[in-house]
Amino acid sequence: DKVLDYALWLTVRELEPYWMPEFKEGKLTFGGDAKKLAFALNAVGNKDTVKPVLALIDGGKVPKANAHGLYLLLTQIGGPDELAKVLTYAAAKDTAAPQRVEAVKAVEDAIRGRKVATPKDASALAGLLADADARAFALRTAGLWKLAAHRPAVQVAAAAKDASPPVRLAALEAVALYGDADAKKFLEGLAAATDQPEAQRLALIALAGLDMPLAAAKAAEFLTTAKAEPELADLYAAFLSRKAGVPALAKALAGKKLNADVAKLGLQAVRTSTLTVPELVDALTKAGDLGAARKPPTADEVKALVADVEKADPARGELIFRRKELQCLACHAVGGAGGQVGPDFTSIGASAQRDYLVESLLLPNKAVKEGYNAIRVVTLDDKVY
């Protein structure tokens, strides 16, 4: 209940002068419940609460199940030494895999969100870099802190052919986060590995975060020989998600020839992003020799398509809806599976007329359901959401 949650949050905040001294003296422990403690400390946002939390952890009196919550709390209020302590906890043999993953992810989020500096000792990260569950988060953490000692392990993971795509992408992102000439050289090398198209694609995505003009030039070359696979949507998204990415890629595509289906995947990525980027649309249309844009359907064409629904195959329709390259599930859900950017489609057939549904597929921007208007946010580091 949002109203009750806010009332409790405000109560805790207003009464801080009464309960905080008791907490600092160890008289108030919230029954050892880390969730309650985290709620209270987050409400007041007091940096002076780190020592009492450390005392609770080191005292050994808090149940193990609650201690995990205290470590997560440290990532929200602690500094470099506290984050190092959380990594040590995560790397311990008796820490279960779900808790380990949650702890390392919380450390990564703290570095990104609160710009927590590098600790004096981050040696606990070494074991986590080889952990099957927490590896991706550990790799990015090493890159965010620019840890020279762990750089060889990061590069090995980035070049490993047998690594899963999520882990390999995390490793490549980590390389880019080092942000120096060596990082650029390493990513350029992988981006030129024509015998490894998967590695090329992932390296280009990472390179886009380090050197946009270079990444755009390399990506344009890569797209001229790329196969029309759904994974190309991720490459296009790397440019669409950065303010400088769209003009850079559009410029790099000038004079290039792409497979028509490769260009169509790019146009699909543009539509999914909800961005208005005519320069990139024109560049992809010309490169793929797609001709003029399709004209809006006439009333008679919509009527004919509505009539075809009577003899349509719903099972085949579902398979089309779930195709990765069409990106339907990125925004819409059916039966609880899918995105939440757009309306849930579970009961759409019973609540909407067929002609409205057909027209919405062909002209998705003609009528946008209330509460689902797209909002574009550009961050200070020029990332687009």
Side-chain angles (χ1 to χ4, degrees):
D1 187 304
K2 292 182 179 180
V3 176
L4 289 178
D5 284 346
Y6 176 66
L8 178 59
W9 179 89
L10 193 61
T11 301
V12 172
R13 192 176 180 87
E14 292 292 331
L15 295 178
E16 179 193 358
Y18 299 93
W19 67 262
M20 183 60 77
E22 299 288 304
F23 170 70
K24 289 184 177 180
E25 291 178 17
K27 297 178 181 178
L28 178 63
T29 63
F30 295 91
D33 190 327
K35 289 184 178 179
K36 294 176 181 177
L37 175 59
F39 184 93
L41 296 182
N42 284 330
V44 298
N46 196 324
K47 301 288 185 179
D48 296 333
T49 55
V50 172
K51 288 183 179 180
V53 173
L54 288 173
L56 282 173
I57 292 174
D58 296 335
K61 296 180 180 180
V62 178
K64 188 176 180 180
N66 290 337
H68 176 68
L70 294 177
Y71 280 108
L72 294 181
L73 182 58
L74 278 184
T75 65
Q76 298 175 30
I77 62 176
D81 293 339
E82 285 71 39
L83 292 196
K85 188 178 184 70
V86 175
L87 290 175
T88 300
Y89 154 74
K93 292 182 179 179
D94 59 345
T95 302
Q99 283 72 38
R100 180 164 55 253
V101 171
E102 193 175 15
V104 182
K105 181 181 183 300
V107 169
E108 181 193 344
D109 291 342
I111 301 170
R112 290 184 184 277
R114 298 196 295 113
K115 309 298 181 186
V116 180
T118 308
K120 294 179 181 178
D121 182 11
S123 56
L125 201 59
L128 295 167
L129 288 169
D131 182 80
D133 300 297
R135 195 178 185 189
F137 303 109
L139 286 164
R140 287 191 292 265
T141 296
L144 286 165
W145 272 339
K146 297 177 172 56
L147 297 170
H150 298 310
R151 189 165 189 162
V154 171
Q155 292 183 337
V156 167
K161 295 180 180 180
D162 58 343
S164 66
V167 168
R168 197 168 191 183
L169 180 58
L172 288 164
E173 287 177 6
V175 171
L177 286 168
Y178 280 91
D180 55 15
D182 289 340
K184 187 190 294 188
K185 183 178 179 181
F186 182 88
L187 292 174
E188 274 192 88
L190 276 181
T194 54
D195 60 326
Q196 299 181 57
E198 176 73 3
Q200 276 187 288
R201 181 179 61 82
L202 295 175
L204 288 167
I205 292 173
L207 190 59
L210 184 60
D211 188 327
M212 183 57 72
L214 178 62
K218 296 285 185 182
E221 289 294 335
F222 170 74
L223 290 170
T224 59
T225 58
K227 294 181 179 179
E229 297 176 332
E231 288 73 19
L232 282 183
D234 297 333
L235 177 58
Y236 284 118
F239 293 92
L240 289 165
S241 64
R242 290 176 172 83
K243 189 176 180 181
V246 169
L249 184 59
K251 181 180 179 181
L253 285 171
K256 296 288 190 296
K257 293 294 181 183
L258 305 185
N259 175 287
D261 290 332
V262 169
K264 288 177 183 177
L265 284 171
L267 294 174
Q268 179 65 44
V270 171
R271 286 194 291 271
T272 303
S273 73
T274 73
L275 300 177
T276 303
V277 285
E279 68 271 39
L280 183 55
V281 171
D282 290 344
L284 288 167
T285 301
K286 291 177 181 177
D289 195 21
L290 301 179
R294 186 172 57 190
K295 294 181 180 180
T298 64
D300 288 339
E301 288 172 333
V302 171
K303 188 176 180 180
L305 287 169
V306 171
D308 284 343
V309 173
E310 294 290 345
K311 51 188 177 182
D313 181 351
R316 182 167 175 262
E318 181 180 359
L319 292 175
I320 293 172
F321 175 79
R322 295 186 183 280
R323 284 182 189 169
K324 183 176 180 180
E325 65 267 28
L326 295 182
Q327 295 286 295
C328 302
L329 281 167
C331 296
H332 299 283
V334 171
Q340 297 180 341
V341 177
D344 189 299
F345 281 171
T346 301
S347 59
I348 195 74
S351 60
Q353 298 295 322
R354 289 180 178 179
D355 56 346
Y356 168 78
L357 293 176
V358 170
E359 195 171 56
S360 293
L361 281 168
L362 299 173
L363 299 169
N365 293 328
K366 183 176 180 179
V368 178
K369 187 176 180 180
E370 184 179 356
Y372 290 97
N373 303 80
I375 299 172
R376 181 172 181 251
V377 178
V378 183
T379 63
L380 292 174
D381 56 354
D382 283 342
K383 287 186 178 179
V384 181
Y385 296 93

